[in-house]
Amino acid sequence: MHKNNAEDLLRRYHNGQVSEEEKAWVETWYLHMKTDDQTDELTDDVMEHDRQQSLDALLHDINAPRHTRLWPRFVAAAVIIMILAGIYALNHRQKTPQTVAATKPVVHDFAPGSNKVILTLSNGSKVELNDAKKGKVADESGTLINKTADGQISYAKQEGADHLKNQQLFNTAATPRGGQYQLVLADGTRVWLNAASSVKYPVEFSGSERKVELTGEAYFEVAHDQKRPFRVVSNGQRVEVLGTHFNINAYDNEQAVKTTLLQGSVRIVAGANIKTIKPGEQAQLKHGQVTVNAVDTDEAVAWKNGFFNFNDADIGTVMRQLTRWYDLEVKYEGSIPQRQFTGEISRNVTARQILDILSFKKIHYRIDGNTIVITP
């Protein structure tokens, strides 16, 4: 969308020649601008400068690579329109009869998640690693558990230590809703845990296999070991690899267990179903059956890279991700809106910012304590 188109729409708004949806865009931004307590201090020169900067930056975002695009084109265009409208309203505020209170309303919002994890040791004791100091966290029979300088969990076998024989010790790393974490297992395998997820694993891998158990979602970069396959057990399936990169989404409240492969080769075993997938493919386990399809892997691992990524997702899919990342609840009043959403947005924004974007697709909501209520 060229800035001339946005300016044309702004002129049509001023002349009363816009649709109801376009009118809502403009008036919503106008109200946001007028509740800013710094608004009245802006001069005409500053507003014109900000107007040009906003246009240049946002038009660049629309034409930039997909990872920088926050939402579908029509929403990005709407943001440009609303910024123009706000500045236009400020330039002409002496002609505007309506007034807005100087005091900002208190707006309830939900901050994005952060690095949080609870580590359960083999003796049952729990350590909140986000509060733990860097360095040694525990000693599990000669295997040191450390919190690294960048906040990860790592395991290191202590040379010369008397390791317990014929006894395998297990740890569990669990993220709460609103949390994520990264750990490095004893064999060098790296694991990224999404919100409301957990992985149970041995402190030291022994025997002929390396097996872990997953709930929720995790991304694995498995250290290669030709002699000992790496196996992930999750929600009715087993994933077997020798060394590769893949993502497993196995939340209980999702319709299918999804395993997406980025590198190497993965075998999916679910009862009598056995499938091998290649990079760029995703296996879905649903109702006991496994299907394999080519997918955009960016969508599957967007969470690990700091984004929400939706491709024709319904409101239920969107809200389930929001509830986990922002630690909130969702409730529907009346029928569930039948809308499809496509686009990508940072997971660093607040929940209200995302909800305001959804409102441009006629999703209505209110915030009731810790609950987002989707209304007709």
Side-chain angles (χ1 to χ4, degrees), residues 126-141:
K126 298 180 183 296
V127 181
E128 292 191 19
L129 283 178
N130 41 306
D131 295 330
K133 294 181 179 179
K134 295 175 177 59
K136 179 181 173 181
V137 173
D139 184 342
E140 291 276 46
S141 185

Side-chain angles (χ1 to χ4, degrees), residues 133-352:
K133 294 181 179 179
K134 295 175 177 59
K136 179 181 173 181
V137 173
D139 184 342
E140 291 276 46
S141 185
T143 296
L144 292 181
I145 306 172
N146 296 298
K147 182 177 180 180
T148 64
D150 53 0
Q152 301 175 23
I153 308 171
S154 69
Y155 288 73
K157 189 174 180 178
Q158 199 172 8
E159 292 297 329
D162 184 18
H163 297 272
L164 290 178
K165 296 181 179 179
N166 302 319
Q167 181 180 352
Q168 198 168 37
L169 304 179
F170 290 88
N171 284 178
T172 299
T175 55
R177 294 204 306 179
Q180 63 180 12
Y181 219 78
Q182 184 179 347
L183 58 150
V184 182
L185 304 184
D187 66 336
T189 292
R190 305 177 76 87
V191 183
W192 285 257
L193 278 178
N194 201 351
S197 302
S198 70
V199 60
K200 180 180 178 181
Y201 51 92
V203 170
E204 180 183 341
F205 290 105
S206 60
S208 59
E209 68 173 0
R210 297 170 290 165
K211 187 171 78 171
V212 303
E213 299 175 16
L214 170 70
T215 64
E217 184 169 21
Y219 178 82
F220 294 85
E221 289 186 357
V222 177
H224 186 81
D225 188 335
Q226 185 70 33
K227 297 180 179 180
R228 295 187 300 170
F230 192 94
R231 296 185 169 101
V232 182
V233 178
S234 59
N235 206 358
Q237 72 170 26
R238 184 175 74 249
V239 174
E240 300 180 348
V241 303
L242 294 177
T244 185
H245 298 183
F246 60 97
N247 189 85
I248 300 177
N249 183 321
Y251 288 110
D252 289 337
N253 62 350
E254 295 293 344
Q255 296 181 351
V257 178
K258 299 177 181 179
T259 304
T260 309
L261 183 62
L262 283 78
Q263 294 183 23
S265 178
V266 163
R267 185 168 70 164
I268 313 295
V269 180
N273 293 275
I274 300 177
K275 300 284 187 180
T276 300
I277 60 175
K278 300 177 294 186
E281 291 183 337
Q282 181 182 87
Q284 292 195 20
L285 170 62
K286 188 176 182 180
H287 303 312
Q289 299 298 314
V290 180
T291 58
V292 177
N293 295 289
V295 295
D296 178 3
T297 57
D298 287 345
E299 180 183 353
V301 300
W303 68 269
K304 169 184 169 287
N305 298 323
F307 292 92
F308 294 104
N309 188 310
F310 303 112
N311 184 14
D312 290 333
D314 59 26
I315 186 64
T317 298
V318 173
M319 293 308 298
R320 284 193 297 274
Q321 292 199 33
L322 298 191
T323 59
R324 290 191 286 260
W325 185 235
Y326 294 98
D327 189 16
L328 53 84
E329 303 295 333
V330 64
K331 206 166 76 172
Y332 299 91
E333 285 187 352
S335 59
I336 298 177
Q338 300 301 306
R339 305 279 191 276
Q340 301 294 314
F341 303 93
T342 297
E344 189 171 78
I345 188 168
S346 170
R347 298 213 311 175
N348 290 326
V349 301
T350 68
R352 193 179 186 96

